[in-house]
Amino acid sequence: VWTVPPVSQGYLTVLSAAIVDALVGADLPDPDTPEWAHLLVEATRLAAHDRPAVLHDGADGAALVADAVVAARAARYD
């Protein structure tokens, strides 16, 4: 996935996708099930929860989607 760098909100797409990948890899639920929607909504919520605090002029795009960030967010999935 490619997006424009900060200060755009594009990193949220990359981070959401990375969280989903950390949680289920290529084993996505069927798109016709509630589990699919729940997974994508929760991954997006986890990715964006601190957006106002971390997205600013000069934000480090690589740090916003670092492996440690992905792992910490994925660990909060319920």
Side-chain angles (χ1 to χ4, degrees), residues 1-68:
V1 174
W2 180 89
T3 188
V4 294
V7 297
S8 83
Q9 296 185 62
Y11 83 94
L12 295 174
T13 301
V14 175
L15 185 54
S16 296
I19 292 168
V20 168
D21 186 55
L23 291 169
V24 298
D27 296 325
L28 283 170
D30 186 304
D32 293 329
T33 65
E35 292 81 13
W36 180 81
H38 178 76
L39 174 66
L40 298 183
V41 168
E42 284 298 304
T44 301
R45 184 185 65 79
L46 290 167
H49 90 279
D50 64 348
R51 184 196 55 79
V54 299
L55 185 59
H56 52 78
D57 284 335
D60 181 356
L64 293 172
V65 297
D67 291 342

Side-chain angles (χ1 to χ4, degrees), residues 58-77:
D60 181 356
L64 293 172
V65 297
D67 291 342
V69 173
V70 173
R73 305 291 169 89
R76 297 178 64 199
Y77 179 80

